[in-house]
Amino acid sequence: MFPVVPEQALLELARTEGGPDTLALLVRDQDTRRLLLLRAVLDAAEAAERSVCTTAQKARLREDWALLTEADRMPAADATPDPGHRRGHAATRGDRDRRALPGAGSAQAPASFANPARARLFHPLTGPWARSCLRGLDAAPGPAESERGLRLRRDLAHFSAIAAVVAAGAGIPFSTRLTARAGVLALPSLGALHTARSGDVPVDVTCADGRLVLRQADAPDVTVHLESGAGAWSGALAWTPAHALPGLTPAAPPLPLDDLDPYRELPPGPRHGNLRTPLALDDAERKRWLQAWSGTALALRSGGAQRLAEAGALLRCLVPLETPPDVGTGRGSCSATRREAFGGLLSSTPPDSVTLAATLVHELQHAKLAALGDLVTLHRAGPAARYFAPWRTDPRPYDGLLQGTYSHLAMAAFYQRRALVGGLPDRDWAWAQHARYRAQVGAALPALVGSPDLTVRGRRFVDEMAAAHDRMADHPAPRGHVARAQAYVASARALWNQRHGSALPPSNG
């Protein structure tokens, strides 16, 4: 069902690169998995006990799935629907084959979207929503009014909002009832309505001629005008539009800067540290994002043409985060990716274009390696945290070490390419960054290469990583930067050994 990764693609990715065909392979596979995940939500709901998912909820999910299927069949947003499409969707779509959405029975997903339905279904934050649904549906039955029951009820109701947005983008007229969550009706990629009453409030939605009319009790109707691609505007104060940054290149579409989606918050757990709180942007924060973004394409290109290409191929939305107090000032920032939100990148407000470009380089390597890991088994190491990583104070599991080393290898290459560009005002700083990242990678590689848990393809992968690290010696950093970087790594290793020496495996060099 899923594609085979050619040897050439594996080696490209091992060098933290990836040509157009290689990146397209990863994207197609992740999009296919997204369609299958959506189908899994419907199947899990159908199989759930009525105490978990009621008969009415199951019927509504089928209606929403049928609406998605209808939208997916539309070739373009300006296509003229046939007269049968102009009735309320609950009355006309309940008898449609809900299995018709591509991906339910086929593993083929397009690299580019011929219709807006796919673009919205593949919005990164649809993934966390689907995972939350599956967790709720797979749980043991419990009280409907419990916190878990409320969460599942809101999760399932959000599917109706997704279906409405997809149908609106496809140009399908419909009437439906949605439910605002805690006084906010979020319409992914369009915006959010703040209801007159708090709590979970019903909102009647009518779509026709490129407009949505949102109607709630005891409040004026709100008319929302759809924009091309993403976003929608309204003169009503109750409406907050979704924001987007200009395309990374002149030919690229706008990039959503999503500070409205209810599924943008990072899940609890040690992987993301204290990166928890999503940020609702004010005008000043949006201006800072736009200022940094305006020079990001140039900064990416200065670090290698492939850096701009991979950002254009993989990045689908940015999610603003609050800056934790321990990040500091200057060029400090924090960022993350989520495996279930392919194409999404979470970041605090970047201080400048180079920092934002470096953040994209770093985080997109995590996205690439995670996507490759869905297709190729690189190792069979267990989850034991026992490896030294110079960029962490705690022991790392093998997979965590591989992820960190891979992203640091890309950062070393990015800053080396920038340092080799003549005339950059921060050239010396780029050399210092390169030297530090390369020294860190050099300290981690022996454990990766020496692992007996590597598969055959995994060994090819890490050997090519090591070769890419070695080739950087052709253009060495100034001696002072190299000496300071090596001293930093030696100090980090000595401190780590004092704290965790018993966990150190023999192969860690």
Side-chain angles (χ1 to χ4, degrees):
M1 176 180 288
F2 297 107
V4 174
V5 177
E7 187 72 4
Q8 180 60 34
L10 183 76
L11 296 180
E12 287 177 6
L13 291 171
R15 296 190 292 270
T16 75
E17 298 172 356
D21 291 343
T22 297
L23 296 177
L25 181 146
L26 297 181
V27 170
R28 283 195 304 271
D29 179 66
Q30 288 296 306
D31 289 346
T32 297
R33 293 173 190 273
R34 174 63 53 77
L35 293 175
L36 294 174
L37 184 63
L38 292 173
R39 178 68 215 186
V41 171
L42 188 64
D43 289 344
E46 291 286 5
E49 297 183 20
R50 280 183 292 181
S51 59
V52 174
C53 185
T54 67
T55 301
Q57 287 174 318
K58 293 179 182 182
R60 182 57 191 266
L61 286 170
R62 289 192 291 267
E63 293 169 7
D64 294 334
W65 185 267
L67 187 58
L68 289 178
T69 298
E70 184 174 6
D72 191 68
R73 289 174 176 148
M74 299 295 288
D78 58 356
T80 302
D82 66 50
H85 292 161
R86 297 189 178 275
R87 292 168 286 174
H89 86 261
T92 62
R93 297 178 179 91
D95 58 349
R96 298 292 179 91
D97 179 10
R98 66 180 185 275
R99 298 180 184 274
L101 188 70
S106 167
Q108 298 303 313
S112 59
F113 313 133
N115 61 48
R118 294 297 177 92
R120 286 178 165 86
L121 283 177
F122 296 148
H123 180 61
L125 297 181
T126 304
W129 161 80
R131 292 292 182 189
S132 184
C133 283
L134 290 174
R135 284 192 296 270
L137 290 166
D138 290 342
E145 298 308 315
S146 66
E147 182 178 348
R148 190 179 68 191
L150 175 61
R151 175 77 184 195
L152 179 58
R153 187 163 66 246
R154 288 176 168 178
D155 286 345
L156 297 179
H158 188 68
F159 191 33
S160 300
I162 293 173
V165 168
V166 171
I172 298 174
F174 64 87
S175 296
T176 189
R177 171 165 285 188
L178 304 179
T179 303
R181 173 189 302 194
V184 179
L185 175 63
L187 297 177
S189 78
L190 299 184
L193 173 72
H194 299 266
T195 59
R197 291 187 287 122
S198 59
D200 291 2
V201 180
V203 178
D204 292 320
V205 180
T206 301
C207 178
D209 302 322
R211 295 192 303 273
L212 294 174
V213 177
L214 311 178
R215 179 166 297 163
Q216 53 180 313
D218 304 323
D221 290 354
V222 173
T223 300
V224 175
H225 302 266
L226 305 180
E227 297 185 37
S228 176
W233 65 272
S234 174
L237 294 177
W239 177 256
T240 299
H243 299 287
L245 297 167
L248 194 57
T249 62
L255 182 73
L257 183 62
D258 198 330
D259 65 340
L260 297 173
D261 196 290
Y263 294 90
R264 68 192 190 279
E265 186 169 349
L266 284 160
R271 179 174 181 267
H272 298 297
N274 60 352
L275 302 182
R276 285 288 175 275
T277 309
L279 180 65
L281 298 177
D282 57 21
D283 287 341
E285 289 289 342
R286 279 193 291 273
K287 288 177 181 177
R288 283 192 280 269
W289 268 98
L290 183 59
Q291 183 176 18
W293 182 252
S294 64
T296 297
L298 183 61
L300 284 170
R301 190 180 288 111
S302 71
Q306 75 274 12
R307 301 305 169 202
L308 181 59
E310 71 185 12
L314 303 178
L315 188 62
R316 289 179 174 172
C317 84
L318 289 164
V319 176
L321 291 176
E322 286 188 3
T323 304
D326 59 350
V327 167
T329 58
R331 280 183 153 164
S333 66
C334 61
S335 60
T337 52
R338 300 180 63 177
R339 193 180 188 113
E340 69 274 24
F342 178 78
L345 192 154
L346 301 90
S347 174
S348 60
T349 304
D352 54 62
S353 298
V354 175
T355 301
L356 181 52
T359 295
L360 297 185
V361 172
H362 179 98
E363 296 296 347
L364 289 176
Q365 305 317 305
H366 291 309
K368 284 160 60 178
L369 189 54
L372 176 64
D374 284 337
L375 289 168
V376 177
T377 300
L378 298 176
H379 66 86
R380 295 187 175 88
R386 60 195 190 103
Y387 290 93
F388 165 65
W391 52 89
R392 297 281 295 248
T393 59
D394 55 334
R396 303 296 292 149
Y398 186 88
D399 194 67
L401 183 68
L402 176 60
Q403 278 277 354
T405 306
Y406 186 72
S407 63
H408 279 63
L409 179 64
M411 295 295 282
F414 171 74
Y415 280 114
Q416 184 181 52
R417 291 292 297 267
R418 277 189 60 81
L420 291 171
V421 175
L424 286 183
D426 62 348
R427 186 183 185 193
D428 190 63
W429 183 79
W431 273 127
Q433 292 294 101
H434 160 71
R436 183 165 174 171
Y437 280 115
R438 185 168 185 266
Q440 290 175 325
V441 172
L445 275 172
L448 293 179
V449 175
S451 173
D453 297 312
L454 287 167
T455 63
V456 172
R457 303 206 79 189
R459 183 159 300 284
R460 290 281 288 141
F461 188 85
V462 298
D463 283 349
E464 187 65 20
M465 285 178 61
H469 176 266
D470 290 343
R471 285 192 291 271
M472 292 180 189
D474 294 342
H475 302 283
R479 288 184 180 180
H481 290 312
V482 173
R484 283 187 288 273
Q486 290 175 344
Y488 166 81
V489 170
S491 176
R493 184 188 291 276
L495 182 61
W496 192 95
N497 283 340
Q498 289 177 8
R499 294 175 174 175
H500 314 291
S502 60
L504 189 67
S507 59
N508 205 28

